[in-house]
Amino acid sequence: MRLNLNLRLAVLSAALTAGTAMAAPYVVCDFEQYAVGDTVPMWNSWGNAHTSVAVVEADPLDAGNKVLHVTLSSWDTYPEFPLPDALSGAALTAQYDQLTFRYYRPASIASAYMALHVYLGSEQLYADNGYPNQGDAGQWLQKAYTLTAATTDGQALRFGYSNNATEYYLDDVTLSVEEDDMPEVEPVFDTSDTTALRTYAARLGKQIGVAVPAWSFAVDDDEDARTAVVGGQFNMLVAENEMKFDALQPERGEFAFDNADRLVRLAQRHGMEVRGHTLVWHSQVPSWLSADGEKNTLGYTRAELLDIMRTHIETVMAHYRGQVVEWDVVNECLSDQQSSSTTGYTLRPSVWATGIGADFIDSALVYAHRADPDARLYINDYSVEFRGKSKADALYNLAKRLKAAGIPLDGVGLQSHWTIGQLDSTKLANNIRRYADLGLNCIITELDIALKDPTSAADYQQQAREYEQVAHIMTEWDNCPHLLVWGVTDDLSWRENAPLLFTARVRPKPAYYGVQHALRTAASLTSGLTRPDAAAGVVRTEYFNLHGRRLSEAPAGLSLRRTTYADGTAVVEKVWR
Ligand code: XIL
């Protein structure tokens, strides 16, 4: 494709001076500098002799444009493009992570199924060995491939489709930085602090956690960008799906722990605690237990179902004893429609509630406590976060009833799957507070806060503020020791509209800095609590609101006062004025 020369030079110099992940695209070749009939060298990855050729020709659809026509007579043979010194080996993939080009397959070539390989020198940076369908013939298609980091010092880019009898055309070969879907957003919180979330959480004696799937990225490889974020930023892990009933007991009596074990090993390599999710739930159950999870479709008796439930709990908790510190024993047992009932809560239909009866919850907790007396036991649900909402009050009534009956229960989990605008921080704090009064923990187990559709930069900022508020509330309440986010990067979330802390490119979002801000503020306020030497005079008095933001003057009402003394100690107190 034609690109004016000045623009091309500007692109090139921007690319070579930027030196960061944000480099402008670098046009490797658009074939306009060649004459029709010129050839481009071909390289065979096995060093085999071949007769394949690559010739500059007129575009089959636009005679004024020059493109490369590749005719292959042997496998693994690719056109070769030299690169400048500044783009050799790792220097290339430090600046660019994506190869894009346009591709055209003539209608005379029947098969669309071809592998594509990209090499830098003789190091392979991309391989598509599944022979995917490369798309329709007779039209130009835009292609983009993500490159792995180069570790050797190759300098020529060699890439193309592999076949021993085909033809294709190429144009506009370009190196670029893969787009993040996040727009430019003014930061809301400080983005200069490189301290990990888990460092601050540990100082507070708390866990900041994350749900991890075993298959969506390389969880066994600590070099993988997502795995590195999991281990580096978080000190608690929960399996996104791998500890659910259908995953752990796909056939009756046959347990499959392999994938869940891989996640436990990831946590152990990084000194993370593991939460177990989940033992008794109506969803994600195997078909031998119930066809739909809601009804007792196979007609088990109450005794049989109690036995199935007990066997599952005992086997799983024995396997993970000492490795999983706490369990969502019962998940989502409450109905979305809470009408006034004498118990104060209405259960949803499930194979358990239907086949055993309402006391399945009590039995599950008792079995779990016997299976691992050291594990903390939770009941977990959604739409239960804000005090005063009917389902939130139903969960409270259920927990209160269990506690009064002496059933082993350590706390409740608030899933917290929200969209921006739904957080009511007063009602959330009030909800956590009433569990404290019952002697129960109340933790945030599956936080994600989706943006509105269509998304805007302002929404990313609001998302950051809401994450900050939730993390702040967690730091305020001793009975809220854990906050877990339901996934690592937005692209892998079970929900649409960017609800998590990291972008698809594993870059921290404003929301990440919101959580970091809340944790950092709380950690710095609670550090250095040693009382000063009596003789040391006050050097500075500062006031903060309950979100940890510094105030320009002492406010009326409740705030935090930090007094710094000449001997370097500081004391933080809550004060009323
Ligand atoms: C979700 C997972 O994130 C998805 O990958 C899966 O397809 C369905 O389940 N409440 C829960 C979680 O307790 O287990 C759910 O996880 C999300 C809602």
Side-chain angles (χ1 to χ4, degrees):
M1 189 183 276
R2 282 143 300 170
L3 193 64
N4 103 24
L5 182 64
N6 287 340
L7 176 60
R8 234 154 56 80
L9 290 177
V11 166
L12 175 62
S13 66
L16 295 182
T17 53
T20 68
M22 297 313 291
Y26 172 64
V27 179
V28 176
C29 196
D30 65 5
F31 306 104
E32 295 309 311
Q33 66 273 44
Y34 287 97
V36 167
D38 285 353
T39 58
V40 164
M42 298 284 286
W43 173 77
N44 180 281
S45 63
W46 304 100
N48 294 341
H50 64 84
T51 55
S52 302
V53 287
V55 184
V56 176
E57 290 180 7
D59 181 337
L61 299 186
D62 172 8
N65 182 40
K66 282 178 257 181
V67 300
L68 189 69
H69 182 189
V70 182
T71 308
L72 296 180
S73 56
S74 47
W75 294 95
D76 303 305
T77 309
Y78 314 95
E80 168 176 299
F81 303 93
L83 292 169
D85 287 349
L87 291 183
S88 69
L92 182 143
T93 48
Q95 293 176 71
Y96 301 109
D97 56 8
Q98 182 173 246
L99 176 69
T100 64
F101 55 88
R102 297 196 310 137
Y103 158 81
Y104 176 94
R105 174 168 60 91
S108 56
I109 300 299
S111 176
Y113 293 88
M114 270 180 279
L116 178 98
H117 297 144
V118 181
Y119 290 84
L120 187 62
S122 49
E123 183 179 4
Q124 198 171 60
L125 300 188
Y126 180 85
D128 203 342
N129 289 326
Y131 289 79
N133 184 338
Q134 298 293 349
D136 290 345
Q139 64 193 58
W140 284 99
L141 302 170
Q142 182 69 41
K143 297 284 187 171
Y145 297 93
T146 305
L147 306 178
T148 55
T151 56
T152 57
D153 202 32
Q155 208 167 335
L157 185 67
R158 296 146 163 178
F159 79 94
Y161 297 92
S162 186
N163 196 288
N164 64 349
T166 198
E167 282 173 60
Y168 63 92
Y169 295 79
L170 288 180
D171 197 10
D172 299 330
V173 179
T174 306
L175 291 164
S176 61
V177 179
E178 208 176 310
E179 286 270 321
D180 232 345
D181 28 18
M182 187 172 78
E184 281 292 311
V185 183
E186 267 306 298
V188 191
F189 299 98
D190 180 14
T191 58
S192 66
D193 181 1
T194 55
T195 313
L197 302 181
R198 61 179 291 172
T199 306
Y200 292 127
R203 270 187 221 163
L204 294 164
K206 306 230 176 202
Q207 275 68 42
I208 181 85
V210 65
V212 182
W215 289 118
S216 309
F217 54 90
V219 294
D220 308 311
D221 175 8
D222 291 332
E223 307 279 301
D224 179 277
R226 288 178 176 81
T227 310
V229 159
V230 168
Q233 293 291 336
F234 299 93
N235 57 354
M236 182 172 254
L237 178 149
V238 59
E240 189 174 346
N241 289 300
E242 293 72 3
M243 289 194 191
K244 293 173 180 175
F245 205 124
D246 59 350
L248 291 184
Q249 200 184 163
E251 301 297 336
R252 189 166 181 182
E254 286 176 26
F255 288 81
F257 291 112
D258 285 6
N259 291 319
D261 287 352
R262 289 167 59 211
L263 295 175
V264 172
R265 282 196 295 273
L266 161 58
Q268 289 171 346
R269 289 199 300 280
H270 295 278
M272 306 166 79
E273 292 191 1
V274 182
R275 296 200 81 233
H277 175 83
T278 177
L279 296 165
V280 181
W281 188 21
H282 66 277
S283 186
Q284 294 181 269
V285 295
S287 53
W288 66 261
L289 174 56
S290 164
D292 62 2
E294 293 201 350
K295 293 186 278 302
N296 182 11
T297 48
L298 291 139
Y300 289 114
T301 64
R302 171 179 156 95
E304 280 171 325
L305 277 172
L306 280 170
D307 185 57
I308 289 170
M309 190 169 81
R310 188 178 46 75
T311 304
H312 187 77
I313 290 173
E314 283 175 355
T315 310
V316 172
M317 288 184 75
H319 183 84
Y320 288 115
R321 200 166 165 168
Q323 304 186 70
V324 171
V325 296
E326 66 189 31
W327 283 94
D328 286 332
V329 179
V330 175
N331 196 34
E332 300 183 351
C333 65
L334 292 167
S335 169
D336 291 338
Q337 268 79 47
Q338 293 293 327
S339 46
S340 52
S341 70
T342 46
T343 53
Y345 58 88
T346 306
L347 298 183
R348 76 152 64 233
S350 70
V351 56
W352 310 110
T354 313
I356 296 173
D359 62 347
F360 84 90
I361 300 165
D362 309 47
S363 300
L365 289 162
V366 169
Y367 295 152
H369 183 62
R370 287 191 195 143
D372 182 357
D374 295 326
R376 294 183 295 261
L377 309 181
Y378 283 80
I379 46 180
N380 189 51
D381 218 318
Y382 64 90
S383 297
V384 293
E385 294 83 10
F386 306 126
R387 183 170 180 162
K389 292 270 160 99
S390 62
K391 199 170 165 188
D393 292 349
L395 181 65
Y396 175 76
N397 294 336
L398 168 61
K400 193 172 172 187
R401 204 257 308 146
L402 292 166
K403 198 62 188 160
I407 301 296
L409 177 70
D410 294 279
V412 300
L414 314 179
Q415 289 187 6
S416 310
H417 296 292
W418 301 326
T419 300
I420 53 167
Q422 290 179 340
L423 169 62
D424 184 329
S425 45
T426 309
K427 287 184 179 151
L428 175 61
N430 277 331
N431 203 20
I432 295 172
R433 178 202 307 256
R434 67 173 160 176
Y435 287 103
D437 295 343
L438 276 188
L440 288 174
N441 278 352
C442 178
I443 63 172
I444 312 289
T445 50
E446 304 181 13
L447 181 61
D448 51 25
I449 308 178
L451 302 176
K452 291 192 175 132
D453 201 1
T455 60
S456 71
D459 283 359
Y460 280 89
Q461 296 177 323
Q462 171 155 2
Q463 182 185 48
R465 289 189 204 94
E466 293 190 6
Y467 264 104
E468 191 273 342
Q469 285 182 44
V470 180
H472 169 72
I473 289 172
M474 177 258 220
T475 67
E476 284 273 277
W477 290 94
D478 287 345
N479 70 322
C480 185
H482 313 146
L483 186 171
L484 295 104
V485 178
W486 201 248
V488 189
T489 52
D490 284 338
D491 56 324
L492 298 182
S493 168
W494 75 303
R495 297 180 64 204
E496 308 259 272
N497 298 320
L500 298 173
L501 300 182
F502 293 88
T503 66
R505 307 286 304 132
V506 207
R507 278 199 275 262
K509 292 165 59 187
Y512 167 88
Y513 294 107
V515 173
Q516 189 195 38
H517 174 92
L519 298 179
R520 176 178 59 238
T521 306
S524 60
L525 287 174
T526 50
S527 64
L529 276 173
T530 346
R531 286 279 158 188
D533 184 309
V538 170
V539 235
R540 199 167 64 240
T541 306
E542 296 162 291
Y543 290 90
F544 300 83
N545 69 14
L546 291 178
H547 290 265
R549 290 206 191 90
R550 197 198 311 272
L551 304 164
S552 52
E553 55 189 37
L558 187 62
S559 65
L560 298 167
R561 180 173 62 205
R562 182 185 175 100
T563 316
T564 309
Y565 294 87
D567 65 358
T569 54
V571 173
V572 180
E573 298 144 293
K574 273 190 187 162
V575 287
W576 282 99
R577 259 176 42 99

